[in-house]
Amino acid sequence: MPTPATLDALLVEERVFRPAPATVIEANVKPAELAEAYRLAEADPCAYWEQAALELEWHRKWDAVLDDSRAPHYRWFPGARGNIVHNALDRHVHIWTKNKLALIWEGEAGDCRKFTYFELYREVNRFACALRALGVSRGDRVCLYMPPVPETVVAMLATAKIGAVHVFVFAGYSAKFLRERINDAEAKVLVTADGFYRGGRCINLKTVVDEALEGVRGDAAETVVVVRRTGDDIDMREPRDLYYHDLLRQESPEAATEIMEAGEPLFWLPTSGTTGRPKSVVHDHGGYMVGAHHTFRTVFDIKPTDIHFCTADPGWITGHTYGVYGPLLTGATVILYEGHPLYPQADRLPAIIERYGATIFYATPTLVRMLMRYGPQYPKKRDLSTLRLLGSVGEPLSPEAWMWFYKHIGRSNCPVLDTWWQTETGMAMLSPMPISVLKPGSVGKALPGVAADVVDAAGAPVPPGQGGFLVLRKPWPGMFSGLAGDEEGYREAYWEKIPGAYFAGDVARRDEDGYYWIQGRADDVLNIAGHRLGTAEIEAALCAHRFVAEAAVIGVPDKIKGEVAKAFVVADPAWTGAFPDADALAADLRGHLRRELGPIVILRGVELRETLPRTRSGKILRRALRAEELGEPYEYRSDAEE
Ligand code: WTA
């Protein structure tokens, strides 16, 4: 682990932006209320979160707000019963939101489908009945390998409605990755699509699924439900494969909602860590619901008239929390877009904002940098006057990108909310509020109830302005309840690095005003275009190639993607017989990596080496390779590297 002292070479940004008076007057949380929220959350965090829980409907209320007797396993709202889908969907059909738009979906070709809460409710019920008829019941896992289409949202909600657990595998992952996740989850059913459109191409998903299902263990994914999206000719294998639309035709639009204990799992979400294997982060019905609802209502300041455009794929935590659950829990209207953000032109996202009158635009720094590259003339062509809030997540948003976003998308009158959080936190943790004074490049202060700190390797707080490890000292309701089947990994990765605190794995600094500035990961996790990928996972994938003896992967900066991977490989001498030159081997390795992990890994280069630098105990010195690559000085420190 690098020491924070070497990591505080952070830019000092002096600009500040004050909220417009109208924003303050209209905000859901006004300055006096925010001050009171901080006061209460500090004095009595359980009372604060209890208030948040009372904003939702429960089948039975909790016996206690928090049970920390088995820390680091925290149980939020023990004794409470309910189902997140009751709050996200069922309750809306009895109130005024019934006929309000829940979901606006736009396909890449420009096709559009809209669902009111009532329509979404009926579709979800039909699919819930179908899943039940397929033998899926409470606690069973349903794997989703889905593109961004409305049925993806339906599948998530239908699974949760019957008390089953959705395990989403982002459609950019490979067949092998999918197979492993199906096996890990022992998923009963897999929901997928024939394909989808992206970048003007028709991407076939079903062939990936067919490959993944060759060699799954036992009776995993016995049934595959296929949504017809592209109408491509695909191989449907009987009796395993069923068309979604055929299944739904016979089902009732009414389905009972399973009443869950607050701590029962809602979903697993695979994510990368520092080991060679991805881990599945587990979130529950009760605490996660409170976290998603409360932060969406307060941070995103949601109003009945809002149209929220979240660019994240539903297959990531951002899509789960602020693309699906948060918006539906608050009765908002959300936009889901299928395709490539620059297709057919760089004004596609601004065009979507204009077309539906989006009021909130939640994007990623990679997207902002992509738009910046094409220039302000693209957003300028579009009427973006409906926007009132901008959000960013997933990677550091530099002051330069912040300013561009603010000026050219927000027309200098929308606050930019740079939200810091993680798959594990389930909800935004550090973020400005719409009424906050903004500093470009900063993720603002810790939200009320969030006990963040910046510490050194021994856990001692570092002075303001100095870099250190970001930790969280108190539990929060949206927190994950564990890693599926990996108790040791849970304790070791998150709770044992810094005594008495949750270790986020990020390097940050906090300034004199309590504003946080995130520098990036402190561990061997890359952030490629906002997607988390462990160097160890990429190395393990490379090492599975027949001619790779050893491999080391580092992250190198990239103007658009933030970071991309670079591989150093020690090849087995036998490769020379199989490939004409090193470039041919490198090309084969790229293809191999794509097959092993999927197109999600962006590899800048492959360099052949005779040996790799190692510590005295034999660990690969990635830092030395990185320093060499970037032309930075490097000094071996046995304490930090061993
Ligand atoms: C990074 C995404 C800088 C960070 C919700 C974190 C950020 C990892 C920000 C989690 C931000 C997230 N500024 N970096 N606003 N938000 N990160 O699990 O390194 O996909 O640890 O969750 O993304 O990524 P994950």
Side-chain angles (χ1 to χ4, degrees):
M1 216 150 53
T3 55
T6 60
L7 298 165
D8 54 5
L10 289 160
L11 193 76
V12 176
E13 171 64 46
E14 302 281 352
R15 276 172 293 203
V16 296
F17 289 80
R18 295 184 192 285
T23 307
V24 178
I25 291 166
E26 286 160 19
N28 285 352
V29 181
K30 299 186 184 28
E33 289 155 347
L34 184 59
E36 171 55 20
Y38 276 113
R39 194 205 56 77
L40 177 61
E42 179 65 35
D44 188 351
C46 283
Y48 178 73
W49 292 119
E50 181 161 43
Q51 266 186 4
L54 287 168
E55 291 166 11
L56 293 153
E57 290 179 7
W58 300 80
H59 191 74
R60 179 186 188 277
K61 294 260 163 59
W62 41 92
D63 298 323
V65 173
L66 174 67
D67 171 6
D68 58 3
S69 60
R70 291 189 306 125
H73 287 280
Y74 295 92
R75 285 176 65 217
W76 282 90
F77 310 107
R81 293 201 197 112
N83 187 312
I84 193 167
V85 178
H86 171 81
N87 281 291
L89 213 50
D90 301 352
R91 69 172 169 148
H92 293 297
V93 302
H94 304 292
I95 54 176
W96 70 272
T97 32
K98 178 177 177 183
N99 298 317
K100 183 184 172 184
L101 281 184
L103 177 66
I104 301 174
W105 174 82
E106 185 167 295
E108 195 180 68
D111 37 343
C112 172
R113 290 166 69 197
K114 294 179 180 174
F115 292 78
T116 63
Y117 273 89
F118 182 61
E119 288 165 334
L120 189 62
Y121 168 82
R122 305 234 304 181
E123 182 91 356
V124 166
N125 285 346
R126 286 203 177 88
F127 195 42
C129 291
L131 286 173
R132 279 194 173 121
L134 292 171
V136 179
S137 54
R138 186 174 183 144
D140 287 343
R141 267 82 56 200
V142 172
C143 188
L144 311 181
Y145 187 63
M146 292 290 283
V149 292
E151 289 78 6
T152 305
V153 179
V154 173
M156 289 168 74
L157 296 169
T159 303
K161 178 151 188 153
I162 65 168
V165 180
H166 53 77
V167 183
F168 210 126
V169 177
F170 171 63
Y173 280 119
S174 68
K176 181 164 180 243
F177 188 98
L178 173 62
R179 181 187 308 131
E180 287 168 357
R181 302 294 79 73
I182 293 171
N183 281 338
D184 289 350
E186 297 171 51
K188 243 192 184 151
V189 170
L190 170 68
V191 187
T192 189
D194 49 2
F196 66 112
Y197 298 98
R198 193 172 162 93
R201 289 192 308 142
C202 177
I203 315 270
N204 187 317
L205 279 186
K206 182 59 168 48
T207 48
V208 184
V209 166
D210 290 340
E211 191 190 332
L213 295 188
E214 300 285 338
V216 284
R217 268 205 302 272
D219 52 8
E222 244 178 348
T223 308
V224 179
V225 178
V226 184
V227 172
R228 211 184 272 125
R229 160 64 187 136
T230 59
D232 255 12
D233 202 11
I234 53 168
D235 189 14
M236 292 291 281
R237 300 192 193 170
E238 291 203 11
R240 186 193 72 187
D241 299 348
L242 303 165
Y243 271 117
Y244 171 93
H245 311 272
D246 295 339
L247 266 182
L248 256 63
R249 206 165 294 135
Q250 312 145 21
E251 298 296 349
S252 152
E254 288 300 331
T257 300
E258 197 75 19
I259 305 302
M260 311 297 289
E261 297 292 331
E264 276 183 278
L266 166 65
F267 65 82
W268 295 8
L269 199 54
T271 190
S272 292
T274 50
T275 61
R277 262 183 87 72
K279 44 201 187 181
S280 281
V281 168
V282 183
H283 280 284
D284 63 19
H285 271 260
Y288 174 79
M289 168 173 77
V290 172
H293 174 263
H294 183 68
T295 49
F296 197 64
R297 190 181 73 72
T298 57
V299 178
F300 290 85
D301 190 43
I302 203 77
K303 306 280 195 305
T305 47
D306 274 320
I307 298 197
H308 174 67
F309 183 13
C310 172
T311 60
D313 189 286
W316 301 116
I317 192 67
T318 305
H320 278 48
T321 304
Y322 299 121
V324 176
Y325 287 113
L328 300 182
L329 285 167
T330 51
T333 303
V334 71
I335 300 176
L336 177 65
Y337 169 55
E338 173 188 44
H340 193 280
L342 302 177
Y343 185 85
Q345 286 200 73
D347 68 341
R348 183 58 185 262
L349 300 180
I352 294 173
I353 294 169
E354 176 185 70
R355 196 151 30 247
Y356 307 107
T359 55
I360 307 175
F361 182 52
Y362 194 31
T364 62
T366 290
L367 262 180
V368 174
R369 291 187 298 259
M370 281 162 89
L371 293 170
M372 274 171 85
R373 183 177 61 178
Y374 283 88
Q377 66 273 26
Y378 285 95
K380 218 176 241 144
K381 283 203 286 192
R382 300 291 174 174
D383 175 6
L384 302 181
S385 61
T386 52
L387 285 176
R388 65 178 192 91
L389 282 181
L390 301 178
S392 171
V393 63
E395 321 151 58
L397 182 67
S398 69
E400 187 201 0
W402 194 105
M403 286 304 303
W404 195 93
F405 198 27
Y406 180 76
K407 204 164 152 200
H408 298 292
I409 303 292
R411 302 154 357 269
S412 303
N413 63 18
C414 302
V416 176
L417 310 176
D418 185 357
T419 58
W420 177 91
W421 56 295
Q422 307 180 295
T423 306
E424 292 85 344
T425 70
M427 63 186 226
M429 304 295 284
L430 311 177
S431 172
M433 305 276 283
I435 59 166
S436 303
V437 171
L438 302 168
K439 301 189 186 189
S442 165
V443 295
K445 297 183 188 178
L447 291 170
V450 172
D453 205 351
V454 180
V455 301
D456 64 19
V462 300
Q466 198 173 308
F469 301 114
L470 181 59
V471 298
L472 302 166
R473 295 198 182 278
K474 279 186 202 150
W476 62 98
M479 70 196 299
F480 62 144
S481 53
L483 296 180
D486 189 6
E487 173 63 19
E488 204 181 308
Y490 174 71
R491 289 174 181 269
E492 202 263 324
Y494 303 107
W495 303 101
E496 287 169 3
K497 293 245 173 3
I498 303 289
Y502 166 86
F503 180 77
D506 278 16
V507 177
R509 95 183 140 87
R510 184 173 49 195
D511 67 19
E512 299 280 353
D513 301 325
Y515 279 59
Y516 287 81
W517 303 74
I518 309 291
Q519 186 179 9
R521 297 290 302 194
D523 51 14
D524 291 317
V525 172
L526 306 186
N527 192 332
I528 303 181
H531 301 152
R532 263 166 79 168
L533 288 154
T535 49
E537 263 167 59
I538 307 175
E539 287 163 4
L542 285 169
C543 286
H545 189 279
R546 64 201 161 124
F547 293 132
V548 173
E550 295 170 51
V553 169
I554 60 164
V556 291
D558 180 87
K559 269 210 171 91
I560 302 293
K561 310 279 174 198
E563 190 172 39
V564 291
K566 162 139 195 192
F568 298 86
V569 166
V570 178
D572 182 312
W575 75 268
T576 45
F579 296 100
D581 54 29
D583 286 348
L585 172 63
D588 198 68
L589 285 174
R590 279 173 188 281
H592 168 80
L593 205 51
R594 220 180 148 86
R595 282 189 300 278
E596 286 282 310
L597 281 172
I600 177 169
V601 185
I602 303 174
L603 196 60
R604 160 75 50 81
V606 181
E607 204 173 303
L608 291 193
R609 289 281 172 112
E610 295 288 314
T611 56
L612 294 176
R614 287 183 184 272
T615 64
R616 278 187 290 247
S617 64
K619 280 194 203 156
I620 294 176
L621 272 170
R622 295 194 189 94
R623 270 199 343 114
L625 288 167
R626 203 174 132 81
E628 184 191 318
E629 180 70 23
L630 304 179
E632 287 169 356
Y634 171 73
E635 199 185 316
Y636 175 62
R637 287 192 322 272
S638 62
D639 58 327
E641 319 260 15
E642 287 292 323

